[in-house]
Amino acid sequence: MIDNFVKNILVALLLFSIKINGQNAVADRYNLMPWPQEITSNTHKVIIDENFTVSINKNEGRVYNYAVNTIRRITNRTGVFVNKGFPVIQDKKATVKIYFTTVADLIKKVDESYTLKVNETDVEITATTDVGALRGLETLQQLITYDDHSFYFKGAVIKDTPRFIWRGLMIDVARHFQPMEVLKRNLKAMASMKMNVFHWHLSDDQGFRIESKTYPKLHELGSDNLYYTQNQIKEIVAYADALGIRVVPEIDVPGHATAILTAYPELGSKDNYTYNIERFSGVFHPTLNPINPKVYTFLDNLFAELTPLFPDPYFHIGGDENEGKHWDENHEIQKFKKKEGLKNNHDLQTYFNIKLQKILKKYNKKLMGWDEIMTDGMPKTAIIHSWRGVNEGFEKGTLIEAVKRGYQAVLSNDYYIDRLQSVEHHYLFDPVGNEKLTQEEEKRVLGGEVTMWSELVTPLTVDSRIWPRTAALSERFWSAKNVKDLENMRKRLAVVSLHLEELGITHLKNRDQILRNIAKTQQINSLKTLTFIFEPLKIYTRNKGGVEYKTYSPFTLFADACSADAEDAYHFNKLVDSYLEKPIDADKKELILFFNKWINGYKEFKTLSTNPLLIQLEPHYKKLNELSQLCIEVLEGNKISEDKKKQITSSINYLKEPLVDTELVIISSIEKLLKQQTKKSKA
Amino acid sequence: MIDNFVKNILVALLLFSIKINGQNAVADRYNLMPWPQEITSNTHKVIIDENFTVSINKNEGRVYNYAVNTIRRITNRTGVFVNKGFPVIQDKKATVKIYFTTVADLIKKVDESYTLKVNETDVEITATTDVGALRGLETLQQLITYDDHSFYFKGAVIKDTPRFIWRGLMIDVARHFQPMEVLKRNLKAMASMKMNVFHWHLSDDQGFRIESKTYPKLHELGSDNLYYTQNQIKEIVAYADALGIRVVPEIDVPGHATAILTAYPELGSKDNYTYNIERFSGVFHPTLNPINPKVYTFLDNLFAELTPLFPDPYFHIGGDENEGKHWDENHEIQKFKKKEGLKNNHDLQTYFNIKLQKILKKYNKKLMGWDEIMTDGMPKTAIIHSWRGVNEGFEKGTLIEAVKRGYQAVLSNDYYIDRLQSVEHHYLFDPVGNEKLTQEEEKRVLGGEVTMWSELVTPLTVDSRIWPRTAALSERFWSAKNVKDLENMRKRLAVVSLHLEELGITHLKNRDQILRNIAKTQQINSLKTLTFIFEPLKIYTRNKGGVEYKTYSPFTLFADACSADAEDAYHFNKLVDSYLEKPIDADKKELILFFNKWINGYKEFKTLSTNPLLIQLEPHYKKLNELSQLCIEVLEGNKISEDKKKQITSSINYLKEPLVDTELVIISSIEKLLKQQTKKSKA
């Protein structure tokens, strides 16, 4: 008895437990993302060696296959040759022991909570459902760390459960088709970030991407031969289900329908109009005719065919951005509106949506749609998908309005990662914000969804637009509201970014491929240097009016190799701020290192044999080289002649101009630095 | 009239036509691979700008979709924004005009010849079949070159046709499963190299990789859940067909059958034996029982189910490496042999093969098998797939024997790229060689097949084992026998290697991914430096006895980042040879640059924070650093003390030892260099 007593005290001492909600010093010691609801640090180390094994309490549901992949990832990451490559059932001696009770059905609300304990020599993961166990396995992987001699699981006791039940990623496969492997690797990456809804934007003006047996012209004439067969649809749904991810499909109607109307022009609102798959980006006029009974027969048959492919209770019907121009131009439609007392096109669209909602109900589906579907007649079973916020003139965003009116709602406004804004920008945006909501209203905020619109991405670049920023957003959707330390998030994100490669995510490696194509050689260091300080133009300015890029334009350009959150730029800009506040010598040295990096980059760049793609980059690189030399002179306290000052001004102005759809995101910092430094040298 | 006459003369002068067979100076001016049968150089330049268009004489067969992808590749490579993203039918003003007569059926012998003419302002591709036109489109892409201002097709007139009708690549998906996208990208790469047979090694001891509805346990128990559904099989066959590639499936029997017997142990040659999917590599004993009638019923039903999935007239049944140990241990089988007068296991296997051949005939398939099937009873309709040569004690190889005996034969001996030998080694090996064959015999040499056995490759690394070496082998199979200039081949291969990335081949980018995983950071330059001088151990010495690596061992190690033909090593070794022959100063400087690269590499390496994977590399890197410093001293003519000489010897000996399954392939050159130089300094 005494022995046990002493042992318990020792254990208690050993576990210098800092139980926290949200984050604090513990967050520096772990690279978990999304950050768990509760973590208690301890000093255990469970070493990963050849005896590493995983046990599951039963072989049911999703855990076995997931654990196989977990073992593969762990051995690949650590290089350990394990004796047992597959999980065992009920082995008390296993390194990792998983216990779960029930197999989850994703069409119901799923308990995703889990507990993870790193003990002295083993790890226990306990969950109510198999999906909870999967979430725990992802946390397990993030606990792997190392010293010189071994990889091990870092001690901790974690109790975790998501803040929101809807943590989604939408991929638009209409503007640019995304092949099966792109979806699969992104689903894996989602699961690794504990995300649970894949919203599949399957049709738009630029393409209809599902095989239809009832209306075969949809994929034959509306897809340029780039579509998923029904078998492939089922494959993706099953693949997602195995990862604990729901699939919510979207067929966008009545607008965004050019591809549908290319196949079946008789369903359009304009007679004798030639519909062609759209090649540009933007909002277009082709719209289904809401007063044509054939349209409803078509939708009824189509949904009868397609809804069984998707087990999820929700079906997304888009419903956004229909300006109704073709309705206005159709005399019959105008007459109908008058007759039915429909005041405007908005009312007409409501008329359409209500009919659609009834069709979907026949097939046991609830409707989900973008903001615009929120009209008086829409039943409260619908989910409002909020995409509009301050940018579209809605100060509080439409989400708040929706939940106050009694709808469930999902937020995407400000999670538009295709706008290529910084990770901080998205990360700090909370679905509820500081809005005062009743408990009921707050419950109706289902969560958030990251939207990857694909006007400007191809299979080559889509990953680098989604990741790693979406990992930080998964934390916004999963973790406590007060988890928002930016520095700490960035530190963890850098680790996650590398781990995403294990799942096939190509954000790092495809950048280099694009640069090799530009340089026509493997010597790309000098170009890489540029991608660390240039970012693609943001918020759709890359594609002014949607007409600069067609769907078949090249997306292998310098802008495609660059991405949001250019790494050197982030560090350089911080360094400048800190130096301007307090000019310490170490910072000056580091600044000079940066300038020399760009000077040397240019030197190396000049050794490449030129081609039209390279030559475009030359003038900016040359100016950056010149400006960097001047910056060093300034920093070293040299006297700067008037001529040189003029040169500085003109270089800065030059470098503020976009470079083939990218911008130099260090230029304001350089300007600030030089302004202050030359002022100083005057004084 | 006179005008035209003058114009014709001018054109004739302009086209300083050097018509060649094989290669000569022209080969320096083009980066074509495989090298065409006939090429006449001219000075035309057809510029690729926004008006670039492709015309086809008719929308039939394979050309339209292939041309769409060609346009995508051209715009992606050049960055040109074309106005027309799709081919047009019969447009005389098009930039590239394609003419073909018939749509080829791959189950018959296909005419793959084509003619390509770069005229003053346009390009014409003419072919008898659509497949010929595809081959021409690949040549077209290889004619793209550039100056500072534009990309253009370089002038030439090409008449081309393959030397062999069988230019194959085998991928073993049994030892390590290869997902759909791996196969698809490799099929695209094959087509880009004008290869036309995909041999799909679908079953082996380590896995049975097709869904069987008749015998579902095959994929359920024999594949670890890694198999192709029948829909996926059809998808690959259709995908390959669209590229003009035949698919020859292989189900390996009666040996290499552990996976089959794991599912259906009653078909094995040993009673009460527990069969388990094999995890190691090598030759194993589990074998179908040739005297059990149920075995033939099984095979009959299985082939009845599977053969319709594959339109090709040939079905590969393996038939290799059955040592018959389990036969020897089975009393009934011994009795049977005696009764039937079968002298040995070889005879028994013949008995089995003949029965199999009859089953296949029922399903309209001809049999193909490895060497061992070439026995007296085997009908001459069978194709012998020769894998044995000098290494297996067959001095002339079995191919020659086969064609002399009246069989058609395909050569793989010496095209085993998984042995990781240099590209030169494989490239110089001719299927016929200097063998004196009659015309009839020579005709029976169908061609060659590159074999990618997958014991040591995963989806992450398989591309880097296949490519770029297989591109050089495609030239061996397509081009004239006398095309064998190694320097020139290497020059062209370097260009092809970059283009392979366009098709998704990951040989370059996945190396970096592996290095990031080893370094746990994006700072991998110092490791990359090593991969340019280290190569994986060759000819299966990496996996001694087949028992060091299991199928689920990690293949994310340093050896997996290295590949055959380490680039710096090649140049360094050549440089040493040339310097030893004639010690010129420029070469000395270049040598010193190399040594400094390794010294600086080590310096950078030491800045990385260590982990168990990195630490393994440290001692070799350190020695290389020390030795490099000594080499510089020696080259600079410094006096080398006895102590330092000892250090040199010991460093060299140390560096000759393998480093985590790789070898430093510059060490002999360094040894030679130092030996001669220190001798010189003595003199």
Side-chain angles (χ1 to χ4, degrees), chain A residues 76-77 83 148 231-232 501 509-510 513 516-517 520 552 556 610, chain B residues 76-77 83 148 231 235 501 509-510 513 516-517 520 552 556 610:
Chain A
N76 281 336
R77 195 187 303 170
N83 294 324
D148 283 7
N231 281 322
Q232 288 176 325
E501 287 205 298
K509 56 191 179 183
N510 284 4
Q513 176 181 339
R516 284 189 283 271
N517 184 52
K520 309 300 176 198
Y552 48 73
T556 49
T610 57
Chain B
N76 281 336
R77 195 186 304 168
N83 294 323
D148 282 6
N231 280 322
E235 196 179 326
E501 287 205 296
K509 57 190 178 184
N510 284 3
Q513 177 180 338
R516 282 189 285 268
N517 185 51
K520 310 298 177 200
Y552 48 75
T556 48
T610 57

mmCIF file of all heavy atoms in Angstrom, chain A residues 76-77 83 148 231-232 501 509-510 513 516-517 520 552 556 610, chain B residues 76-77 83 148 231 235 501 509-510 513 516-517 520 552 556 610:
data_model
loop_
_atom_site.group_PDB
_atom_site.id
_atom_site.type_symbol
_atom_site.label_atom_id
_atom_site.label_comp_id
_atom_site.label_asym_id
_atom_site.label_seq_id
_atom_site.Cartn_x
_atom_site.Cartn_y
_atom_site.Cartn_z
ATOM 1 N N ASN A 76 7.802 6.120 -42.347
ATOM 2 C CA ASN A 76 8.404 6.960 -43.378
ATOM 3 C C ASN A 76 9.018 8.217 -42.784
ATOM 4 O O ASN A 76 10.076 8.667 -43.215
ATOM 5 C CB ASN A 76 7.364 7.348 -44.435
ATOM 6 C CG ASN A 76 7.113 6.213 -45.414
ATOM 7 O OD1 ASN A 76 7.971 5.351 -45.602
ATOM 8 N ND2 ASN A 76 5.946 6.201 -46.023
ATOM 9 N N ARG A 77 8.364 8.756 -41.803
ATOM 10 C CA ARG A 77 8.886 10.002 -41.241
ATOM 11 C C ARG A 77 10.141 9.749 -40.410
ATOM 12 O O ARG A 77 11.050 10.568 -40.380
ATOM 13 C CB ARG A 77 7.825 10.699 -40.386
ATOM 14 C CG ARG A 77 8.220 12.136 -40.096
ATOM 15 C CD ARG A 77 7.305 12.834 -39.119
ATOM 16 N NE ARG A 77 5.915 12.838 -39.541
ATOM 17 C CZ ARG A 77 4.918 13.220 -38.739
ATOM 18 N NH1 ARG A 77 5.169 13.618 -37.512
ATOM 19 N NH2 ARG A 77 3.677 13.190 -39.172
ATOM 20 N N ASN A 83 8.933 -4.115 -36.996
ATOM 21 C CA ASN A 83 8.724 -5.538 -37.243
ATOM 22 C C ASN A 83 7.307 -5.844 -37.694
ATOM 23 O O ASN A 83 7.086 -6.717 -38.520
ATOM 24 C CB ASN A 83 9.028 -6.344 -35.976
ATOM 25 C CG ASN A 83 10.495 -6.255 -35.620
ATOM 26 O OD1 ASN A 83 11.353 -6.221 -36.509
ATOM 27 N ND2 ASN A 83 10.791 -6.167 -34.334
ATOM 28 N N ASP A 148 18.919 13.394 -30.847
ATOM 29 C CA ASP A 148 19.919 12.884 -31.785
ATOM 30 C C ASP A 148 19.756 11.395 -32.060
ATOM 31 O O ASP A 148 20.134 10.900 -33.112
ATOM 32 C CB ASP A 148 21.332 13.104 -31.229
ATOM 33 C CG ASP A 148 21.763 14.549 -31.391
ATOM 34 O OD1 ASP A 148 20.913 15.373 -31.810
ATOM 35 O OD2 ASP A 148 22.929 14.844 -31.099
ATOM 36 N N ASN A 231 -18.762 6.019 -61.100
ATOM 37 C CA ASN A 231 -17.915 5.158 -60.271
ATOM 38 C C ASN A 231 -16.868 5.972 -59.515
ATOM 39 O O ASN A 231 -16.542 5.667 -58.365
ATOM 40 C CB ASN A 231 -17.203 4.109 -61.141
ATOM 41 C CG ASN A 231 -18.131 2.960 -61.489
ATOM 42 O OD1 ASN A 231 -18.931 2.530 -60.663
ATOM 43 N ND2 ASN A 231 -18.027 2.479 -62.718
ATOM 44 N N GLN A 232 -16.342 6.960 -60.182
ATOM 45 C CA GLN A 232 -15.337 7.799 -59.516
ATOM 46 C C GLN A 232 -15.958 8.644 -58.415
ATOM 47 O O GLN A 232 -15.347 8.853 -57.363
ATOM 48 C CB GLN A 232 -14.623 8.672 -60.553
ATOM 49 C CG GLN A 232 -13.682 7.853 -61.435
ATOM 50 C CD GLN A 232 -13.040 8.674 -62.535
ATOM 51 O OE1 GLN A 232 -13.650 9.585 -63.085
ATOM 52 N NE2 GLN A 232 -11.805 8.352 -62.879
ATOM 53 N N GLU A 501 3.483 17.163 -46.892
ATOM 54 C CA GLU A 501 4.101 16.461 -48.021
ATOM 55 C C GLU A 501 3.917 14.950 -47.914
ATOM 56 O O GLU A 501 3.861 14.254 -48.923
ATOM 57 C CB GLU A 501 5.595 16.792 -48.106
ATOM 58 C CG GLU A 501 5.868 18.186 -48.613
ATOM 59 C CD GLU A 501 7.243 18.305 -49.264
ATOM 60 O OE1 GLU A 501 8.249 18.086 -48.554
ATOM 61 O OE2 GLU A 501 7.309 18.591 -50.459
ATOM 62 N N LYS A 509 6.888 21.157 -53.616
ATOM 63 C CA LYS A 509 7.650 20.606 -54.741
ATOM 64 C C LYS A 509 7.227 21.155 -56.100
ATOM 65 O O LYS A 509 8.060 21.257 -56.993
ATOM 66 C CB LYS A 509 7.638 19.087 -54.720
ATOM 67 C CG LYS A 509 6.312 18.402 -54.721
ATOM 68 C CD LYS A 509 6.556 16.902 -54.424
ATOM 69 C CE LYS A 509 5.251 16.118 -54.377
ATOM 70 N NZ LYS A 509 5.474 14.720 -54.034
ATOM 71 N N ASN A 510 5.945 21.504 -56.245
ATOM 72 C CA ASN A 510 5.537 21.999 -57.562
ATOM 73 C C ASN A 510 6.043 23.412 -57.843
ATOM 74 O O ASN A 510 6.182 23.793 -59.002
ATOM 75 C CB ASN A 510 4.026 21.907 -57.717
ATOM 76 C CG ASN A 510 3.580 20.480 -57.985
ATOM 77 O OD1 ASN A 510 4.397 19.568 -57.978
ATOM 78 N ND2 ASN A 510 2.306 20.275 -58.215
ATOM 79 N N GLN A 513 9.125 22.793 -59.636
ATOM 80 C CA GLN A 513 8.870 22.330 -61.004
ATOM 81 C C GLN A 513 8.569 23.511 -61.926
ATOM 82 O O GLN A 513 9.081 23.592 -63.040
ATOM 83 C CB GLN A 513 7.697 21.351 -60.995
ATOM 84 C CG GLN A 513 7.325 20.902 -62.408
ATOM 85 C CD GLN A 513 6.140 19.951 -62.420
ATOM 86 O OE1 GLN A 513 5.820 19.317 -61.422
ATOM 87 N NE2 GLN A 513 5.503 19.833 -63.568
ATOM 88 N N ARG A 516 11.741 25.323 -62.701
ATOM 89 C CA ARG A 516 12.574 24.612 -63.691
ATOM 90 C C ARG A 516 12.036 24.836 -65.094
ATOM 91 O O ARG A 516 12.792 24.980 -66.055
ATOM 92 C CB ARG A 516 12.633 23.109 -63.375
ATOM 93 C CG ARG A 516 13.551 22.754 -62.219
ATOM 94 C CD ARG A 516 13.756 21.249 -62.070
ATOM 95 N NE ARG A 516 12.629 20.568 -61.466
ATOM 96 C CZ ARG A 516 12.454 20.375 -60.150
ATOM 97 N NH1 ARG A 516 13.362 20.805 -59.291
ATOM 98 N NH2 ARG A 516 11.398 19.736 -59.690
ATOM 99 N N ASN A 517 10.721 24.890 -65.214
ATOM 100 C CA ASN A 517 10.143 25.130 -66.532
ATOM 101 C C ASN A 517 10.451 26.547 -67.014
ATOM 102 O O ASN A 517 10.700 26.771 -68.191
ATOM 103 C CB ASN A 517 8.625 24.892 -66.495
ATOM 104 C CG ASN A 517 8.001 25.031 -67.871
ATOM 105 O OD1 ASN A 517 8.455 24.410 -68.836
ATOM 106 N ND2 ASN A 517 6.980 25.863 -67.988
ATOM 107 N N LYS A 520 14.311 26.513 -67.664
ATOM 108 C CA LYS A 520 14.753 25.486 -68.615
ATOM 109 C C LYS A 520 16.061 24.829 -68.152
ATOM 110 O O LYS A 520 16.930 24.481 -68.952
ATOM 111 C CB LYS A 520 14.925 26.050 -70.036
ATOM 112 C CG LYS A 520 13.745 26.844 -70.597
ATOM 113 C CD LYS A 520 12.468 26.048 -70.678
ATOM 114 C CE LYS A 520 11.282 26.885 -71.154
ATOM 115 N NZ LYS A 520 9.982 26.236 -70.827
ATOM 116 N N TYR A 552 -7.861 27.884 -70.407
ATOM 117 C CA TYR A 552 -6.733 27.126 -70.962
ATOM 118 C C TYR A 552 -5.460 27.966 -71.087
ATOM 119 O O TYR A 552 -4.536 27.589 -71.797
ATOM 120 C CB TYR A 552 -7.102 26.475 -72.304
ATOM 121 C CG TYR A 552 -7.785 27.387 -73.299
ATOM 122 C CD1 TYR A 552 -7.083 28.382 -73.966
ATOM 123 C CD2 TYR A 552 -9.141 27.243 -73.566
ATOM 124 C CE1 TYR A 552 -7.716 29.210 -74.884
ATOM 125 C CE2 TYR A 552 -9.786 28.072 -74.489
ATOM 126 C CZ TYR A 552 -9.066 29.043 -75.143
ATOM 127 O OH TYR A 552 -9.686 29.865 -76.049
ATOM 128 N N THR A 556 1.714 28.194 -65.426
ATOM 129 C CA THR A 556 3.060 27.701 -65.118
ATOM 130 C C THR A 556 3.985 28.899 -65.114
ATOM 131 O O THR A 556 5.138 28.794 -65.517
ATOM 132 C CB THR A 556 3.514 26.725 -66.211
ATOM 133 O OG1 THR A 556 3.280 27.353 -67.475
ATOM 134 C CG2 THR A 556 2.752 25.416 -66.147
ATOM 135 N N THR A 610 19.130 32.868 -71.339
ATOM 136 C CA THR A 610 17.829 33.528 -71.313
ATOM 137 C C THR A 610 16.802 32.831 -72.191
ATOM 138 O O THR A 610 17.136 32.075 -73.091
ATOM 139 C CB THR A 610 17.955 34.990 -71.773
ATOM 140 O OG1 THR A 610 18.542 34.987 -73.069
ATOM 141 C CG2 THR A 610 18.799 35.778 -70.814
ATOM 142 N N ASN B 76 1.855 25.659 -71.610
ATOM 143 C CA ASN B 76 2.478 25.626 -70.285
ATOM 144 C C ASN B 76 3.996 25.760 -70.385
ATOM 145 O O ASN B 76 4.624 26.407 -69.553
ATOM 146 C CB ASN B 76 2.125 24.322 -69.568
ATOM 147 C CG ASN B 76 0.726 24.369 -68.972
ATOM 148 O OD1 ASN B 76 0.194 25.443 -68.699
ATOM 149 N ND2 ASN B 76 0.130 23.210 -68.781
ATOM 150 N N ARG B 77 4.572 25.149 -71.390
ATOM 151 C CA ARG B 77 6.031 25.213 -71.481
ATOM 152 C C ARG B 77 6.503 26.596 -71.896
ATOM 153 O O ARG B 77 7.542 27.064 -71.450
ATOM 154 C CB ARG B 77 6.555 24.166 -72.476
ATOM 155 C CG ARG B 77 8.055 23.979 -72.297
ATOM 156 C CD ARG B 77 8.683 23.070 -73.342
ATOM 157 N NE ARG B 77 8.062 21.768 -73.394
ATOM 158 C CZ ARG B 77 8.286 20.890 -74.373
ATOM 159 N NH1 ARG B 77 9.127 21.200 -75.346
ATOM 160 N NH2 ARG B 77 7.689 19.725 -74.374
ATOM 161 N N ASN B 83 -5.075 32.061 -78.346
ATOM 162 C CA ASN B 83 -6.492 32.432 -78.472
ATOM 163 C C ASN B 83 -7.383 31.201 -78.574
ATOM 164 O O ASN B 83 -8.494 31.187 -78.065
ATOM 165 C CB ASN B 83 -6.695 33.305 -79.717
ATOM 166 C CG ASN B 83 -5.991 34.641 -79.552
ATOM 167 O OD1 ASN B 83 -5.966 35.203 -78.455
ATOM 168 N ND2 ASN B 83 -5.394 35.140 -80.617
ATOM 169 N N ASP B 148 15.779 34.840 -77.209
ATOM 170 C CA ASP B 148 15.367 35.741 -76.128
ATOM 171 C C ASP B 148 13.902 36.161 -76.238
ATOM 172 O O ASP B 148 13.264 36.466 -75.243
ATOM 173 C CB ASP B 148 16.217 37.013 -76.139
ATOM 174 C CG ASP B 148 17.593 36.768 -75.534
ATOM 175 O OD1 ASP B 148 17.891 35.585 -75.234
ATOM 176 O OD2 ASP B 148 18.345 37.734 -75.372
ATOM 177 N N ASN B 231 -13.340 -1.652 -62.715
ATOM 178 C CA ASN B 231 -13.539 -0.370 -63.394
ATOM 179 C C ASN B 231 -12.225 0.370 -63.594
ATOM 180 O O ASN B 231 -12.002 1.008 -64.616
ATOM 181 C CB ASN B 231 -14.484 0.525 -62.579
ATOM 182 C CG ASN B 231 -15.935 0.134 -62.793
ATOM 183 O OD1 ASN B 231 -16.324 -0.211 -63.909
ATOM 184 N ND2 ASN B 231 -16.708 0.163 -61.727
ATOM 185 N N GLU B 235 -10.322 1.524 -66.913
ATOM 186 C CA GLU B 235 -9.914 2.925 -67.050
ATOM 187 C C GLU B 235 -8.464 3.003 -67.557
ATOM 188 O O GLU B 235 -8.152 3.797 -68.449
ATOM 189 C CB GLU B 235 -10.053 3.600 -65.673
ATOM 190 C CG GLU B 235 -10.033 5.108 -65.703
ATOM 191 C CD GLU B 235 -10.205 5.706 -64.290
ATOM 192 O OE1 GLU B 235 -10.936 5.115 -63.457
ATOM 193 O OE2 GLU B 235 -9.589 6.745 -64.023
ATOM 194 N N GLU B 501 8.719 16.259 -66.466
ATOM 195 C CA GLU B 501 7.942 16.859 -65.372
ATOM 196 C C GLU B 501 6.582 17.355 -65.850
ATOM 197 O O GLU B 501 5.625 17.370 -65.081
ATOM 198 C CB GLU B 501 8.712 18.030 -64.744
ATOM 199 C CG GLU B 501 9.888 17.581 -63.908
ATOM 200 C CD GLU B 501 10.244 18.614 -62.848
ATOM 201 O OE1 GLU B 501 10.650 19.738 -63.218
ATOM 202 O OE2 GLU B 501 10.128 18.292 -61.659
ATOM 203 N N LYS B 509 11.291 16.182 -58.332
ATOM 204 C CA LYS B 509 10.703 16.858 -57.176
ATOM 205 C C LYS B 509 10.588 15.977 -55.944
ATOM 206 O O LYS B 509 10.689 16.476 -54.827
ATOM 207 C CB LYS B 509 9.368 17.506 -57.527
ATOM 208 C CG LYS B 509 8.300 16.622 -58.086
ATOM 209 C CD LYS B 509 7.129 17.514 -58.597
ATOM 210 C CE LYS B 509 6.024 16.681 -59.217
ATOM 211 N NZ LYS B 509 4.964 17.535 -59.782
ATOM 212 N N ASN B 510 10.421 14.669 -56.134
ATOM 213 C CA ASN B 510 10.297 13.828 -54.941
ATOM 214 C C ASN B 510 11.629 13.617 -54.222
ATOM 215 O O ASN B 510 11.648 13.345 -53.028
ATOM 216 C CB ASN B 510 9.646 12.490 -55.288
ATOM 217 C CG ASN B 510 8.144 12.650 -55.487
ATOM 218 O OD1 ASN B 510 7.616 13.750 -55.414
ATOM 219 N ND2 ASN B 510 7.455 11.549 -55.727
ATOM 220 N N GLN B 513 11.583 16.228 -51.723
ATOM 221 C CA GLN B 513 10.632 15.907 -50.649
ATOM 222 C C GLN B 513 11.284 14.951 -49.640
ATOM 223 O O GLN B 513 11.160 15.136 -48.426
ATOM 224 C CB GLN B 513 9.367 15.265 -51.231
ATOM 225 C CG GLN B 513 8.394 14.859 -50.136
ATOM 226 C CD GLN B 513 7.134 14.213 -50.671
ATOM 227 O OE1 GLN B 513 6.760 14.393 -51.832
ATOM 228 N NE2 GLN B 513 6.461 13.459 -49.822
ATOM 229 N N ARG B 516 13.738 16.825 -47.535
ATOM 230 C CA ARG B 516 13.086 17.654 -46.510
ATOM 231 C C ARG B 516 12.651 16.791 -45.332
ATOM 232 O O ARG B 516 12.733 17.206 -44.180
ATOM 233 C CB ARG B 516 11.881 18.401 -47.102
ATOM 234 C CG ARG B 516 12.251 19.618 -47.937
ATOM 235 C CD ARG B 516 11.030 20.457 -48.332
ATOM 236 N NE ARG B 516 10.230 19.839 -49.387
ATOM 237 C CZ ARG B 516 10.388 20.063 -50.690
ATOM 238 N NH1 ARG B 516 11.330 20.887 -51.120
ATOM 239 N NH2 ARG B 516 9.618 19.478 -51.589
ATOM 240 N N ASN B 517 12.200 15.583 -45.638
ATOM 241 C CA ASN B 517 11.794 14.694 -44.546
ATOM 242 C C ASN B 517 12.996 14.273 -43.702
ATOM 243 O O ASN B 517 12.898 14.144 -42.485
ATOM 244 C CB ASN B 517 11.085 13.459 -45.108
ATOM 245 C CG ASN B 517 10.537 12.575 -43.997
ATOM 246 O OD1 ASN B 517 9.847 13.046 -43.106
ATOM 247 N ND2 ASN B 517 10.891 11.295 -44.040
ATOM 248 N N LYS B 520 14.076 17.555 -41.877
ATOM 249 C CA LYS B 520 13.014 18.192 -41.086
ATOM 250 C C LYS B 520 13.035 19.710 -41.233
ATOM 251 O O LYS B 520 12.764 20.459 -40.298
ATOM 252 C CB LYS B 520 13.122 17.804 -39.595
ATOM 253 C CG LYS B 520 13.251 16.309 -39.295
ATOM 254 C CD LYS B 520 12.076 15.491 -39.744
ATOM 255 C CE LYS B 520 12.251 13.994 -39.490
ATOM 256 N NZ LYS B 520 11.336 13.200 -40.347
ATOM 257 N N TYR B 552 6.780 -3.158 -46.098
ATOM 258 C CA TYR B 552 6.334 -1.963 -45.374
ATOM 259 C C TYR B 552 7.476 -1.225 -44.669
ATOM 260 O O TYR B 552 7.249 -0.398 -43.792
ATOM 261 C CB TYR B 552 5.211 -2.295 -44.383
ATOM 262 C CG TYR B 552 5.458 -3.489 -43.488
ATOM 263 C CD1 TYR B 552 6.342 -3.407 -42.423
ATOM 264 C CD2 TYR B 552 4.799 -4.688 -43.706
ATOM 265 C CE1 TYR B 552 6.554 -4.493 -41.600
ATOM 266 C CE2 TYR B 552 5.004 -5.791 -42.890
ATOM 267 C CZ TYR B 552 5.880 -5.688 -41.829
ATOM 268 O OH TYR B 552 6.104 -6.757 -41.012
ATOM 269 N N THR B 556 11.951 6.199 -47.590
ATOM 270 C CA THR B 556 12.067 7.661 -47.562
ATOM 271 C C THR B 556 13.451 7.981 -47.022
ATOM 272 O O THR B 556 13.634 8.964 -46.312
ATOM 273 C CB THR B 556 11.015 8.245 -46.603
ATOM 274 O OG1 THR B 556 11.076 7.491 -45.384
ATOM 275 C CG2 THR B 556 9.625 8.147 -47.179
ATOM 276 N N THR B 610 20.195 18.418 -35.619
ATOM 277 C CA THR B 610 20.335 16.995 -35.934
ATOM 278 C C THR B 610 19.101 16.200 -35.570
ATOM 279 O O THR B 610 18.266 16.622 -34.790
ATOM 280 C CB THR B 610 21.526 16.393 -35.165
ATOM 281 O OG1 THR B 610 21.298 16.618 -33.782
ATOM 282 C CG2 THR B 610 22.816 17.018 -35.602
#
